[in-house]
Structure formats: structure tokens, C-alpha cells
Amino acid sequence: MTTTAPAGTGAPGRARIEAKTLRTDRWWLQPLITFTVLVLFIIYSTIRAFMGSHYFRDPYISPFYSPCLASGCGPAPHLSIFPSNAFFTPAIYILIFPLGFRLTCYYYRKAYYRSFWLSPPACAVAEPHSRYTGETRFPLIFQNVHRYFFYAGLVFNLILTYDAVLSFRDASGAWGHMGLGTLVLLINAGLLWLYSLSCHSCRHIVGGRLNHFSRHPLRYRFWTVVSRLNTNHMKFAWASLFSVAFADFYVFMVATNTFSDLRFF
Ligand code: FES
């Protein structure tokens, strides 16, 4: 018969401390902020994804709805591959890719394991769960698909960059114009690239599994750049989350005529 040794604070060799934590600082503040911001983002993005309207005002398209693959995309550039209805809006067909990319992201995993599952809520604070199985079994073993979502994310970045370039046209399709919406889409695309290129999987893809960097100077150079970006991955994760929500909000405001797009030239 095999017995399983207790893990976590009950593991053999761990100090016997009854208190949940000896920390006296406000260690709960960070997980609380993370929880609040992520819940707000989930509520906002869910409402907008199911709204199925006001996501396009020439030449701007919301990043929540691009690429538009459904038949109900109205005047937005689209491929009528799927039907759309009240539930299956054009956003629902594509949401799994950016959502899966962020859900399986190494940084977000840390953030939501701490803030939603309290596992653990902070460093040197005991978690409420008695067992710890890591990510080695169902369902968390599926976190390993992250690298495939990374590839999908690159495709989305290309498409959203293309959308930003197209926004240098005016509503009649003439090039050489720029509005505040163009800047919003450009910044969003740039932050999404920084988020993707600073990804841990990206770092492994460009520089992993090599025994000798000296024999692969180009990959070493890429790895050096990605490693530098990687140290700021958390910042890019948050900045791109805000920018994608703001870009959608901006298009929503312009599409509903709440305010007019500010034209620079
Ligand atoms: S680790 Fe965060 S996107 Fe890959």
C-alpha cells in the first residue's frame, strides 16, 4: 500500500507554525486588486462580446471583433464563414484564442492562482487548501497548451496590426488620414506585440534546447532581446489588457456616436 506524504505546510521538514502567516504588511492588497481588475475585465468583455453590435465605425474595428469571421459583421470587413445570432456573435468565434492565450500565460496563472484560488494568496502566507497537485493532472495539465495559443496570438497580432494600418484611411477609403482611433489601435497592436514577444514560451522557442549558443549566433541574439523583454512581461500583460479593453471602448463610443473621432489630419 502506498501512502501520500502531506504537502504544503504539512510537509515533513516544514516548521510547525499555527499562524496562517507572520507577515504584518498589507499582503492581501495585491491579490485583491488583481481579483478586482480581472473581474471587471471579465464583466466588460463578456458584455461586449455578447452585445454583437457597435464594434465597427469606418475605418476602426474593435479588437474584440477582429478578424470578423461571421456573416453578421455588417459593414465591417469580414469573411462569412460562420453564421451569427444572438448567442454566437462574431466575437464569440474568435474569443477562445486571446482568452486561451491569457488564461494559460505563465504570469496570469500566478496572478489568478493567487487572487482567485488563494493558492497561495501571497509569499509566506499559507494557502487554505490541504493538498497541492500542481499542474500535473486534469484540468491544469492543459496549461501546457500555452505555446499553441502563443502561435495563434501571433496571427491575431498580425491581423490587429493590419487593422491599425487600415485606420490610416478615412471613412471613404482614402489613405493619408489619422485620427485618435488610429493612435489607439496602433498603441494596442504595439502592446500586444510586446506582450507576445516577452512570453516565456517565445523565449524558449527562440533560444531553448540549444547546447551551444556560440554555434547559433542569430538565435542567441533573438534570445537576448526576448529575455530583456521577458523581464517586463508582467507590465506588458497588464498594459495590453487595458489597451485592448480601451480600444474596444473607444470604437464602441465612436460607433454609438457618443463622441466623434478626433482627426489629426
Ligand atoms: S508566458 Fe505570458 S504570454 Fe506566454
Side-chain angles (χ1 to χ4, degrees):
M1 196 175 85
T2 55
T3 53
T4 312
T9 50
R14 296 288 294 270
R16 300 271 162 237
I17 299 172
E18 292 307 318
K20 287 283 180 205
T21 183
L22 299 178
R23 285 180 67 167
T24 54
D25 61 333
R26 291 188 293 172
W27 56 263
W28 44 268
L29 192 57
Q30 193 172 350
L32 182 64
I33 292 172
T34 305
F35 177 85
T36 307
V37 174
L38 287 180
V39 166
L40 288 176
F41 179 80
I42 291 166
I43 293 171
Y44 175 78
S45 55
T46 305
I47 291 172
R48 283 292 289 144
F50 282 106
M51 194 177 279
S53 61
H54 306 307
Y55 50 83
F56 180 73
R57 169 58 64 91
D58 227 349
Y60 307 130
I61 184 166
S62 158
F64 286 5
Y65 282 82
S66 183
C68 234
L69 302 178
S71 54
C73 290
H78 64 281
L79 302 168
S80 296
I81 299 174
F82 305 109
S84 62
N85 53 44
F87 183 79
F88 286 104
T89 69
I92 297 299
Y93 289 110
I94 57 172
L95 209 65
I96 180 67
F97 298 103
L99 186 69
F101 186 39
R102 289 196 187 251
L103 267 181
T104 59
C105 162
Y106 289 76
Y107 167 67
Y108 280 113
R109 271 142 76 172
K110 171 189 154 188
Y112 68 78
Y113 287 168
R114 287 189 170 194
S115 57
F116 284 73
W117 293 350
L118 311 177
S119 180
C123 287
V125 179
E127 59 180 291
H129 315 284
S130 56
R131 292 177 67 232
Y132 174 77
T133 55
E135 296 175 325
T136 55
R137 56 179 75 171
F138 181 83
L140 294 184
I141 191 140
F142 282 111
Q143 302 281 29
N144 286 314
V145 298
H146 181 62
R147 97 167 14 208
Y148 302 104
F149 279 120
F150 165 75
Y151 294 132
L154 292 184
V155 175
F156 273 70
N157 289 353
L158 285 172
I159 292 168
L160 296 186
T161 305
Y162 180 65
D163 290 342
V165 171
L166 290 185
S167 70
F168 280 97
R169 304 178 307 174
D170 65 9
S172 67
W175 288 94
H177 297 268
M178 182 178 183
L180 182 56
T182 313
L183 190 63
V184 170
L185 295 189
L186 272 178
I187 291 174
N188 181 47
L191 287 172
L192 286 173
W193 276 113
L194 288 171
Y195 174 53
S196 295
L197 295 177
S198 62
C199 166
H200 294 69
S201 287
C202 177
R203 186 166 176 263
H204 180 72
I205 289 163
V206 298
R209 293 176 174 273
L210 293 180
N211 288 331
H212 307 282
F213 271 137
S214 56
R215 291 191 196 153
H216 304 272
L218 197 58
R219 288 186 66 182
Y220 176 66
R221 185 157 297 191
F222 284 145
W223 179 83
T224 311
V225 173
V226 171
S227 296
R228 232 176 264 144
L229 292 174
N230 182 257
T231 57
N232 291 305
H233 188 58
M234 180 184 79
K235 289 179 196 148
F236 296 140
W238 285 114
S240 60
L241 190 80
F242 287 125
S243 76
V244 82
F246 184 74
D248 172 78
F249 182 71
Y250 187 86
V251 175
F252 178 47
M253 290 290 105
V254 173
T256 51
N257 292 318
T258 308
F259 56 70
S260 307
D261 180 39
L262 178 68
R263 299 309 296 252
F264 298 143
F265 54 82

